[in-house]
Tab-separated table of all heavy atoms in Angstrom:
chain	number	residue	atom	x	y	z
A	258	MET	N	56.175	94.525	82.365
A	258	MET	CA	57.435	94.200	83.040
A	258	MET	C	58.323	93.313	82.164
A	258	MET	O	57.867	92.345	81.582
A	258	MET	CB	57.140	93.438	84.350
A	258	MET	CG	56.730	94.356	85.471
A	258	MET	SD	58.136	95.307	86.067
A	258	MET	CE	57.500	95.873	87.628
A	259	VAL	N	59.563	93.690	82.076
A	259	VAL	CA	60.521	92.914	81.288
A	259	VAL	C	61.587	92.394	82.245
A	259	VAL	O	62.094	93.148	83.076
A	259	VAL	CB	61.224	93.819	80.242
A	259	VAL	CG1	62.039	92.984	79.279
A	259	VAL	CG2	60.228	94.694	79.534
A	261	ILE	N	65.218	91.342	83.002
A	261	ILE	CA	66.533	91.554	82.385
A	261	ILE	C	67.653	91.059	83.291
A	261	ILE	O	67.512	91.013	84.515
A	261	ILE	CB	66.798	93.048	82.041
A	261	ILE	CG1	66.544	93.939	83.260
A	261	ILE	CG2	66.000	93.500	80.860
A	261	ILE	CD1	66.947	95.381	83.032
B	376	SER	N	62.230	95.363	84.615
B	376	SER	CA	62.153	96.751	84.185
B	376	SER	C	60.830	96.975	83.484
B	376	SER	O	60.263	96.048	82.919
B	376	SER	CB	63.340	97.032	83.258
B	376	SER	OG	62.972	97.918	82.262
B	377	LYS	N	60.334	98.196	83.517
B	377	LYS	CA	59.037	98.487	82.900
B	377	LYS	C	59.170	98.669	81.399
B	377	LYS	O	58.396	98.124	80.621
B	377	LYS	CB	58.421	99.739	83.520
B	377	LYS	CG	57.336	99.407	84.535
B	377	LYS	CD	56.669	100.670	85.029
B	377	LYS	CE	55.701	100.340	86.156
B	377	LYS	NZ	55.375	101.520	86.939
B	378	ASN	N	60.161	99.433	80.992
B	378	ASN	CA	60.216	99.726	79.553
B	378	ASN	C	61.095	98.750	78.785
B	378	ASN	O	62.096	98.248	79.271
B	378	ASN	CB	60.650	101.177	79.298
B	378	ASN	CG	61.889	101.529	80.081
B	378	ASN	OD1	62.564	100.644	80.574
B	378	ASN	ND2	62.168	102.807	80.189
B	379	GLU	N	60.652	98.482	77.555
B	379	GLU	CA	61.298	97.504	76.681
B	379	GLU	C	62.740	97.908	76.348
B	379	GLU	O	63.603	97.077	76.165
B	379	GLU	CB	60.521	97.384	75.362
B	379	GLU	CG	59.121	96.829	75.504
B	379	GLU	CD	59.114	95.305	75.618
B	379	GLU	OE1	60.095	94.700	75.181
B	379	GLU	OE2	58.130	94.762	76.136
B	380	GLY	N	62.950	99.191	76.264
B	380	GLY	CA	64.238	99.673	75.764
B	380	GLY	C	65.390	99.580	76.755
B	380	GLY	O	66.496	99.954	76.425
B	381	ALA	N	65.110	99.101	77.952
B	381	ALA	CA	66.152	99.082	78.972
B	381	ALA	C	67.263	98.091	78.643
B	381	ALA	O	67.032	97.097	78.025
B	381	ALA	CB	65.542	98.714	80.313
Side-chain angles (χ1 to χ4, degrees):
Chain A
M258 280 288 197
V259 189
I261 52 173
Chain B
S376 145
K377 258 185 186 161
N378 49 15
E379 295 280 338

